[in-house]
Structure formats: C-alpha cells, structure tokens
C-alpha cells in the first residue's frame, strides 16, 4: 500500500507542475493589458509604465511564473490588480462559501443516489426500477439553472421558506449558513444524484451477475443478504470515480448557480476577475481548483486500493 501511495503521490506532483505551466501560459497570452484596462484607453504611457511596474508586469514572464509558484508554496498568491488586496484573503473568503456548498450538494447527491440505485438494481425490470430510471433521466435532462430558478419561484417567492439569494454568513450560526445554501445545494445535487444513481444501478447489476454472487446464493445466502454483504461493496469502484469527479465539478463548476443565488463563491470571483482582466486572481483560483481536482482523484485512487486490494499488486 505504501508503494502504491508513493507512486500516486509522485503522479500528483507532476500533474500539478504541468498544470501550473499550462495555466500560466494560457492566461498570460490572453489578449488585453491589465494596466490599460484599469486606466482606460486615454491613459498616458508613463502612467501605464508606472502601473505595470507596481503590479509586477514589467518583469519577464519566466520570472513572473517562478515568483507566482514560489509564492503559492508558502500561501502567498500575490495581490489583486483590481482590488489591491491579497489574493489569498479573497480566495479564503469565498472558499468558505464554495467548499461547504460543494460538500453539502455532494452529501445530498450521495444520500439520494445510493438508496435509489440499490433499490433499482434490486428490482430490475419492475415498476420500481422503471420509476427510478425515469426520474434519473429527467434529472439529467433538466438544466440545473432552470431547476434553480424553479426552486426560487416555489420555495422562496411563493412559500417563503428560504431567501431568494445571498449568503447570511457563518458568523450568524451554522444553521443560518446551511439554510442559505440549501436551495443552491439542492439545485446542484439533483442532477448529480441522477447520474450517480444510474452508475450505482449499472455497477451493482454487473456485480450481481458475477460467479461469486451465484456461489453465495448457492450456499444459502438470501438475495438481500448477498446484495448488501457482497454486492454493494464490490460495486463501489466506479461509483467512487463518479463521486470524485462530481466533487471537483461542484467546487469548480458552480458559477451559474452562484450567479442565480448571488452567492459570493469562487466561481463568481473568477467571473469577475476575468471581466476585470485581474490575471493574478484568475491564475490563482484556477490553480487552486486544479489542485482540488487532482487531490480528489488521488484520494479516489487510494479509496480504490482500500476497496479492491488487487489494484495494489498491479502497480
């Protein structure tokens, strides 16, 4: 297990190095000068030169890359061109919204998908299975932003159970914060739950057809016991893959939901930074999200090895 973990850790570090180079190159070659954008088209050249020097844009790109990477290693993401505040502080403020939202949505997705997928697999071809599959197909087809607007219309405007948007803040209490994130979390969770339920059902049906499951049944184990004792655990490998990918998506791809609910999260921060040509913010947030994606995949690989020890001997 240690050897397997070390190999995956080396792969993670290499992936992060390559990602940092790609992110920096792609964003830096984007058209537009941050200094010109901030001062306007009528700015004097000497003023532009002074601002570029203040922002550190007058040094070679290679030096800027190494300054950026070395700063990130010690938690210094630089200073925002637009807001003139530390990028690390801006990210931290918004991470306290995006991370709980992603975890909340993932928890809801998993709590919905696991029972639904197992129920459908246990009743293959029966009305219960067809109902679950129909519901998941609908969940995949409906765009989450449309669903988010329907949630606002029903539960915020008509029933007035929730606020239509905004985030109350964790300083007002855990329940208040979770209450603010409930509708966005549901809007994010249901489409992901539909995908996860279908994967769980498909994986479990494959396992139920394996020889060891038939052997367990021949030894007198009931279908229900075989399903829970042997089937569910062995069906988890593809499900863990989807859960890892879903967490990465929920953390990095919730910009539309954040816009619908006016949440001050990372997605909205990136959108605002791109609009303002605040390159250092864009680079840092994207790198942070890439780090989260790669780290989650690393943890999923370790979970694979824990669930299926055969994977350790293949590497």
């Amino acid at each position: 297990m240690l050897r397997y973990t070390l190999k995956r850790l080396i792969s993670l570090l290499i992936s992060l190095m390559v990602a940092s180079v790609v992110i920096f190159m792609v964003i830096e070659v984007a058209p537009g000068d941050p200094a010109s954008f901030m001062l306007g088209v009528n700015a004097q050249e000497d003023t532009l030169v002074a601002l570029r020097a203040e922002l550190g844009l007058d040094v070679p790109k290679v030096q800027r890359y190494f300054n950026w990477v070395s700063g990130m290693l010690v938690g210094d993401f630089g200073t925002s061109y637009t807001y003139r505040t530390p990028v690390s502080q801006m990210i931290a403020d918004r991470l306290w919204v995006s991370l709980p939202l992603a975890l909340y949505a993932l928890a809801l997705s998993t709590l919905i998908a696991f029972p639904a997928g197992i129920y459908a697999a246990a009743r293959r071809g029966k009305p219960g299975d067809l109902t679950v599959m129909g519901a998941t197909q609908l969940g995949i087809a409906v765009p989450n932003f449309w669903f988010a607007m329907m949630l606002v219309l029903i539960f915020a405007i008509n029933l007035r159970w929730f606020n239509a948007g905004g985030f109350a803040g964790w300083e007002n209490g855990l329940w208040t914060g979770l209450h603010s994130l409930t509708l966005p979390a549901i809007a994010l969770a249901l489409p992901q739950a539909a995908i996860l339920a279908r994967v769980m059902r498909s994986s479990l049906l494959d396992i139920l057809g394996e020889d060891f499951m038939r052997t367990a049944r021949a030894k007198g184990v009931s279908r229900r016991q075989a399903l829970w004792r042997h089937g569910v655990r062995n069906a988890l490998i593809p499900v863990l893959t989807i859960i890892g990918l879903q967490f990465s998506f929920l953390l990095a791809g919730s910009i539309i939901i954040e816009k619908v609910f006016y949440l001050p999260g990372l997605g909205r921060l990136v959108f605002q930074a791109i609009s303002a040509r605040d390159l250092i913010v864009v680079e840092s947030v994207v790198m942070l999200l890439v780090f989260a994606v790669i780290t989650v995949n690393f943890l999923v690989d370790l979970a694979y090895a824990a669930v299926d020890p055969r994977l350790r001997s293949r590497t």
Side-chain angles (χ1 to χ4, degrees), residues 143-184:
N144 61 3
F145 68 87
W146 181 87
F147 189 64
M149 291 188 289
M150 292 302 100
L151 290 175
V152 171
L153 180 64
I154 296 172
F155 295 102
I157 297 177
N158 292 336
L159 297 177
R160 299 184 181 276
W161 291 355
F162 299 91
N163 293 327
F167 180 63
W170 298 112
E171 63 274 7
N172 294 318
L174 178 63
W175 167 249
T176 303
L178 290 177
H179 189 266
S180 300
L181 296 178
T182 296
L183 290 186

Short mmCIF file of all heavy atoms in Angstrom, two decimals, residues 143-184:
data_model
loop_
_atom_site.label_atom_id
_atom_site.label_comp_id
_atom_site.label_asym_id
_atom_site.label_seq_id
_atom_site.Cartn_x
_atom_site.Cartn_y
_atom_site.Cartn_z
N PRO A 143 -31.73 21.28 -17.08
CA PRO A 143 -30.56 22.11 -16.71
C PRO A 143 -30.66 22.57 -15.26
O PRO A 143 -31.75 22.93 -14.79
CB PRO A 143 -30.64 23.30 -17.67
CG PRO A 143 -31.55 22.85 -18.78
CD PRO A 143 -32.50 21.87 -18.17
N ASN A 144 -29.53 22.56 -14.56
CA ASN A 144 -29.59 22.91 -13.14
C ASN A 144 -29.95 24.37 -12.90
O ASN A 144 -30.55 24.71 -11.88
CB ASN A 144 -28.28 22.54 -12.43
CG ASN A 144 -27.08 23.27 -13.00
OD1 ASN A 144 -27.20 24.10 -13.90
ND2 ASN A 144 -25.91 22.95 -12.50
N PHE A 145 -29.64 25.27 -13.86
CA PHE A 145 -30.00 26.68 -13.64
C PHE A 145 -31.52 26.86 -13.75
O PHE A 145 -32.10 27.66 -13.01
CB PHE A 145 -29.28 27.59 -14.63
CG PHE A 145 -29.70 27.44 -16.07
CD1 PHE A 145 -30.78 28.15 -16.57
CD2 PHE A 145 -29.02 26.59 -16.92
CE1 PHE A 145 -31.17 28.02 -17.89
CE2 PHE A 145 -29.40 26.44 -18.23
CZ PHE A 145 -30.49 27.15 -18.72
N TRP A 146 -32.17 26.10 -14.63
CA TRP A 146 -33.64 26.16 -14.72
C TRP A 146 -34.26 25.60 -13.44
O TRP A 146 -35.20 26.18 -12.90
CB TRP A 146 -34.13 25.37 -15.93
CG TRP A 146 -35.62 25.42 -16.11
CD1 TRP A 146 -36.35 26.36 -16.79
CD2 TRP A 146 -36.57 24.49 -15.57
NE1 TRP A 146 -37.69 26.07 -16.71
CE2 TRP A 146 -37.86 24.92 -15.98
CE3 TRP A 146 -36.46 23.33 -14.81
CZ2 TRP A 146 -39.01 24.24 -15.62
CZ3 TRP A 146 -37.61 22.65 -14.46
CH2 TRP A 146 -38.87 23.09 -14.86
N PHE A 147 -33.71 24.50 -13.00
CA PHE A 147 -34.20 23.91 -11.76
C PHE A 147 -33.99 24.86 -10.59
O PHE A 147 -34.85 24.98 -9.70
CB PHE A 147 -33.49 22.58 -11.51
CG PHE A 147 -34.05 21.79 -10.37
CD1 PHE A 147 -35.35 21.31 -10.41
CD2 PHE A 147 -33.30 21.53 -9.24
CE1 PHE A 147 -35.88 20.60 -9.36
CE2 PHE A 147 -33.82 20.82 -8.19
CZ PHE A 147 -35.11 20.34 -8.25
N ALA A 148 -32.84 25.57 -10.58
CA ALA A 148 -32.57 26.55 -9.51
C ALA A 148 -33.62 27.65 -9.52
O ALA A 148 -34.10 28.07 -8.45
CB ALA A 148 -31.17 27.13 -9.69
N MET A 149 -33.97 28.13 -10.70
CA MET A 149 -34.98 29.20 -10.77
C MET A 149 -36.35 28.70 -10.32
O MET A 149 -37.12 29.44 -9.70
CB MET A 149 -35.04 29.75 -12.20
CG MET A 149 -33.80 30.54 -12.59
SD MET A 149 -33.93 31.38 -14.17
CE MET A 149 -33.89 29.97 -15.30
N MET A 150 -36.68 27.43 -10.61
CA MET A 150 -37.94 26.87 -10.15
C MET A 150 -37.95 26.75 -8.61
O MET A 150 -38.97 26.98 -7.97
CB MET A 150 -38.16 25.50 -10.78
CG MET A 150 -38.42 25.52 -12.27
SD MET A 150 -39.87 26.53 -12.75
CE MET A 150 -39.07 28.05 -13.30
N LEU A 151 -36.81 26.39 -8.04
CA LEU A 151 -36.72 26.31 -6.58
C LEU A 151 -36.94 27.68 -5.95
O LEU A 151 -37.63 27.81 -4.93
CB LEU A 151 -35.35 25.75 -6.18
CG LEU A 151 -35.08 24.28 -6.46
CD1 LEU A 151 -33.64 23.93 -6.11
CD2 LEU A 151 -36.05 23.39 -5.68
N VAL A 152 -36.35 28.70 -6.55
CA VAL A 152 -36.54 30.07 -6.05
C VAL A 152 -38.01 30.47 -6.15
O VAL A 152 -38.59 31.04 -5.21
CB VAL A 152 -35.65 31.05 -6.83
CG1 VAL A 152 -36.00 32.50 -6.47
CG2 VAL A 152 -34.19 30.80 -6.53
N LEU A 153 -38.61 30.17 -7.28
CA LEU A 153 -40.01 30.55 -7.51
C LEU A 153 -40.93 29.87 -6.50
O LEU A 153 -41.84 30.51 -5.93
CB LEU A 153 -40.42 30.17 -8.93
CG LEU A 153 -41.86 30.50 -9.33
CD1 LEU A 153 -42.09 32.01 -9.31
CD2 LEU A 153 -42.18 29.94 -10.71
N ILE A 154 -40.70 28.59 -6.24
CA ILE A 154 -41.60 27.83 -5.38
C ILE A 154 -41.33 28.09 -3.90
O ILE A 154 -42.22 28.45 -3.12
CB ILE A 154 -41.51 26.33 -5.69
CG1 ILE A 154 -41.99 26.05 -7.12
CG2 ILE A 154 -42.33 25.52 -4.68
CD1 ILE A 154 -41.74 24.64 -7.59
N PHE A 155 -40.06 27.89 -3.50
CA PHE A 155 -39.74 27.88 -2.07
C PHE A 155 -39.34 29.24 -1.51
O PHE A 155 -39.40 29.44 -0.29
CB PHE A 155 -38.63 26.87 -1.79
CG PHE A 155 -39.03 25.45 -2.05
CD1 PHE A 155 -38.62 24.80 -3.20
CD2 PHE A 155 -39.83 24.76 -1.15
CE1 PHE A 155 -38.99 23.49 -3.45
CE2 PHE A 155 -40.20 23.45 -1.39
CZ PHE A 155 -39.79 22.81 -2.55
N ALA A 156 -38.92 30.15 -2.36
CA ALA A 156 -38.52 31.47 -1.88
C ALA A 156 -39.62 32.51 -2.10
O ALA A 156 -39.94 33.29 -1.19
CB ALA A 156 -37.23 31.92 -2.56
N ILE A 157 -40.20 32.52 -3.30
CA ILE A 157 -41.18 33.56 -3.61
C ILE A 157 -42.58 33.17 -3.15
O ILE A 157 -43.28 33.96 -2.51
CB ILE A 157 -41.17 33.86 -5.12
CG1 ILE A 157 -39.80 34.43 -5.53
CG2 ILE A 157 -42.28 34.84 -5.49
CD1 ILE A 157 -39.65 34.68 -7.00
N ASN A 158 -42.99 31.93 -3.48
CA ASN A 158 -44.35 31.51 -3.13
C ASN A 158 -44.49 31.08 -1.68
O ASN A 158 -45.34 31.59 -0.94
CB ASN A 158 -44.82 30.39 -4.07
CG ASN A 158 -45.02 30.87 -5.50
OD1 ASN A 158 -45.25 32.06 -5.74
ND2 ASN A 158 -44.93 29.98 -6.47
N LEU A 159 -43.68 30.12 -1.25
CA LEU A 159 -43.80 29.59 0.10
C LEU A 159 -43.03 30.41 1.14
O LEU A 159 -43.31 30.32 2.34
CB LEU A 159 -43.30 28.13 0.13
CG LEU A 159 -44.11 27.15 -0.73
CD1 LEU A 159 -43.48 25.75 -0.68
CD2 LEU A 159 -45.56 27.10 -0.28
N ARG A 160 -42.01 31.14 0.68
CA ARG A 160 -41.19 31.99 1.56
C ARG A 160 -40.49 31.19 2.67
O ARG A 160 -40.34 31.65 3.80
CB ARG A 160 -42.03 33.12 2.18
CG ARG A 160 -42.65 34.04 1.16
CD ARG A 160 -43.39 35.20 1.79
NE ARG A 160 -43.99 36.05 0.79
CZ ARG A 160 -43.36 37.03 0.14
NH1 ARG A 160 -42.09 37.28 0.41
NH2 ARG A 160 -44.00 37.76 -0.76
N TRP A 161 -40.08 29.97 2.33
CA TRP A 161 -39.33 29.16 3.29
C TRP A 161 -37.84 29.51 3.30
O TRP A 161 -37.16 29.27 4.28
CB TRP A 161 -39.50 27.68 2.95
CG TRP A 161 -40.88 27.16 3.20
CD1 TRP A 161 -41.93 27.82 3.78
CD2 TRP A 161 -41.37 25.86 2.88
NE1 TRP A 161 -43.04 27.03 3.84
CE2 TRP A 161 -42.73 25.80 3.30
CE3 TRP A 161 -40.81 24.73 2.28
CZ2 TRP A 161 -43.51 24.67 3.11
CZ3 TRP A 161 -41.60 23.59 2.11
CH2 TRP A 161 -42.94 23.57 2.52
N PHE A 162 -37.36 30.04 2.18
CA PHE A 162 -35.94 30.37 2.03
C PHE A 162 -35.82 31.75 1.41
O PHE A 162 -36.77 32.26 0.81
CB PHE A 162 -35.21 29.35 1.14
CG PHE A 162 -35.23 27.94 1.67
CD1 PHE A 162 -36.25 27.06 1.32
CD2 PHE A 162 -34.21 27.49 2.50
CE1 PHE A 162 -36.27 25.76 1.80
CE2 PHE A 162 -34.22 26.19 2.97
CZ PHE A 162 -35.25 25.33 2.63
N ASN A 163 -34.64 32.34 1.55
CA ASN A 163 -34.35 33.59 0.84
C ASN A 163 -34.07 33.29 -0.63
O ASN A 163 -33.57 32.23 -0.98
CB ASN A 163 -33.14 34.28 1.46
CG ASN A 163 -33.41 34.77 2.87
OD1 ASN A 163 -34.54 35.17 3.19
ND2 ASN A 163 -32.40 34.74 3.71
N ALA A 164 -34.38 34.27 -1.47
CA ALA A 164 -34.20 34.08 -2.91
C ALA A 164 -32.73 34.09 -3.31
O ALA A 164 -32.37 33.58 -4.37
CB ALA A 164 -34.96 35.16 -3.69
N GLY A 165 -31.88 34.65 -2.49
CA GLY A 165 -30.46 34.71 -2.84
C GLY A 165 -29.65 35.31 -1.71
O GLY A 165 -30.18 35.74 -0.69
N GLY A 166 -28.33 35.32 -1.92
CA GLY A 166 -27.43 35.86 -0.92
C GLY A 166 -27.00 34.82 0.09
O GLY A 166 -27.55 33.71 0.15
N PHE A 167 -25.98 35.17 0.85
CA PHE A 167 -25.45 34.26 1.87
C PHE A 167 -25.40 34.99 3.20
O PHE A 167 -24.79 36.07 3.31
CB PHE A 167 -24.06 33.78 1.46
CG PHE A 167 -23.43 32.84 2.46
CD1 PHE A 167 -24.01 31.61 2.73
CD2 PHE A 167 -22.28 33.20 3.14
CE1 PHE A 167 -23.44 30.74 3.65
CE2 PHE A 167 -21.70 32.34 4.06
CZ PHE A 167 -22.29 31.10 4.31
N ALA A 168 -26.04 34.41 4.22
CA ALA A 168 -26.16 35.08 5.52
C ALA A 168 -24.84 35.17 6.27
O ALA A 168 -24.65 36.05 7.11
CB ALA A 168 -27.20 34.36 6.38
N GLY A 169 -23.92 34.24 6.00
CA GLY A 169 -22.64 34.24 6.69
C GLY A 169 -22.60 33.27 7.84
O GLY A 169 -23.61 33.08 8.54
N TRP A 170 -21.45 32.64 8.04
CA TRP A 170 -21.30 31.65 9.11
C TRP A 170 -21.27 32.30 10.49
O TRP A 170 -21.51 31.62 11.50
CB TRP A 170 -20.03 30.83 8.89
CG TRP A 170 -20.04 30.05 7.62
CD1 TRP A 170 -19.26 30.25 6.51
CD2 TRP A 170 -20.89 28.94 7.29
NE1 TRP A 170 -19.56 29.34 5.54
CE2 TRP A 170 -20.55 28.52 5.99
CE3 TRP A 170 -21.89 28.25 7.98
CZ2 TRP A 170 -21.19 27.45 5.37
CZ3 TRP A 170 -22.53 27.20 7.37
CH2 TRP A 170 -22.18 26.80 6.07
N GLU A 171 -20.97 33.59 10.54
CA GLU A 171 -20.92 34.25 11.85
C GLU A 171 -22.30 34.34 12.51
O GLU A 171 -22.40 34.56 13.71
CB GLU A 171 -20.32 35.66 11.71
CG GLU A 171 -21.13 36.61 10.86
CD GLU A 171 -20.82 36.51 9.38
OE1 GLU A 171 -20.06 35.59 9.00
OE2 GLU A 171 -21.32 37.36 8.62
N ASN A 172 -23.34 34.13 11.70
CA ASN A 172 -24.70 34.14 12.24
C ASN A 172 -25.17 32.77 12.70
O ASN A 172 -26.34 32.62 13.09
CB ASN A 172 -25.68 34.69 11.19
CG ASN A 172 -25.43 36.15 10.89
OD1 ASN A 172 -25.18 36.95 11.80
ND2 ASN A 172 -25.45 36.51 9.61
N GLY A 173 -24.29 31.78 12.64
CA GLY A 173 -24.64 30.45 13.11
C GLY A 173 -24.60 29.42 11.99
O GLY A 173 -24.81 29.75 10.82
N LEU A 174 -24.33 28.17 12.38
CA LEU A 174 -24.25 27.09 11.40
C LEU A 174 -25.57 26.87 10.69
O LEU A 174 -25.61 26.72 9.46
CB LEU A 174 -23.81 25.79 12.11
CG LEU A 174 -23.72 24.53 11.23
CD1 LEU A 174 -22.67 24.71 10.15
CD2 LEU A 174 -23.41 23.31 12.09
N TRP A 175 -26.66 26.85 11.43
CA TRP A 175 -27.96 26.61 10.81
C TRP A 175 -28.32 27.71 9.81
O TRP A 175 -28.84 27.44 8.73
CB TRP A 175 -29.04 26.52 11.89
CG TRP A 175 -30.43 26.57 11.32
CD1 TRP A 175 -31.34 27.57 11.45
CD2 TRP A 175 -31.05 25.58 10.50
NE1 TRP A 175 -32.49 27.27 10.78
CE2 TRP A 175 -32.35 26.06 10.17
CE3 TRP A 175 -30.63 24.35 9.99
CZ2 TRP A 175 -33.23 25.33 9.38
CZ3 TRP A 175 -31.52 23.62 9.20
CH2 TRP A 175 -32.80 24.11 8.90
N THR A 176 -28.01 28.95 10.15
CA THR A 176 -28.31 30.06 9.25
C THR A 176 -27.53 29.94 7.95
O THR A 176 -28.06 30.16 6.85
CB THR A 176 -27.99 31.41 9.92
OG1 THR A 176 -28.73 31.51 11.14
CG2 THR A 176 -28.34 32.58 9.02
N GLY A 177 -26.24 29.58 8.07
CA GLY A 177 -25.42 29.40 6.88
C GLY A 177 -25.92 28.27 6.01
O GLY A 177 -26.03 28.40 4.78
N LEU A 178 -26.23 27.13 6.63
CA LEU A 178 -26.73 25.98 5.87
C LEU A 178 -28.09 26.29 5.24
O LEU A 178 -28.37 25.84 4.12
CB LEU A 178 -26.84 24.76 6.78
CG LEU A 178 -25.52 24.15 7.24
CD1 LEU A 178 -25.78 23.00 8.20
CD2 LEU A 178 -24.68 23.66 6.05
N HIS A 179 -28.90 27.05 5.95
CA HIS A 179 -30.20 27.43 5.42
C HIS A 179 -30.04 28.26 4.15
O HIS A 179 -30.80 28.10 3.18
CB HIS A 179 -30.98 28.22 6.48
CG HIS A 179 -32.41 28.47 6.12
ND1 HIS A 179 -32.82 29.63 5.52
CD2 HIS A 179 -33.53 27.71 6.26
CE1 HIS A 179 -34.12 29.59 5.31
NE2 HIS A 179 -34.58 28.43 5.75
N SER A 180 -29.04 29.14 4.12
CA SER A 180 -28.78 29.95 2.93
C SER A 180 -28.30 29.12 1.76
O SER A 180 -28.52 29.48 0.60
CB SER A 180 -27.74 31.03 3.25
OG SER A 180 -28.16 31.89 4.28
N LEU A 181 -27.63 28.01 2.05
CA LEU A 181 -27.05 27.18 0.99
C LEU A 181 -27.95 26.03 0.56
O LEU A 181 -27.60 25.30 -0.36
CB LEU A 181 -25.71 26.61 1.45
CG LEU A 181 -24.59 27.60 1.74
CD1 LEU A 181 -23.34 26.88 2.23
CD2 LEU A 181 -24.26 28.43 0.50
N THR A 182 -29.09 25.86 1.21
CA THR A 182 -29.92 24.69 0.95
C THR A 182 -30.46 24.65 -0.48
O THR A 182 -30.31 23.64 -1.18
CB THR A 182 -31.09 24.62 1.95
OG1 THR A 182 -30.56 24.44 3.28
CG2 THR A 182 -32.01 23.45 1.63
N LEU A 183 -31.09 25.72 -0.93
CA LEU A 183 -31.62 25.72 -2.30
C LEU A 183 -30.51 25.58 -3.34
O LEU A 183 -30.66 24.78 -4.28
CB LEU A 183 -32.44 26.99 -2.55
CG LEU A 183 -33.79 27.09 -1.82
CD1 LEU A 183 -34.54 28.33 -2.29
CD2 LEU A 183 -34.63 25.86 -2.04
N PRO A 184 -29.39 26.31 -3.24
CA PRO A 184 -28.31 26.08 -4.20
C PRO A 184 -27.78 24.65 -4.16
O PRO A 184 -27.47 24.07 -5.21
CB PRO A 184 -27.23 27.08 -3.77
CG PRO A 184 -27.95 28.13 -3.03
CD PRO A 184 -29.10 27.47 -2.36
#
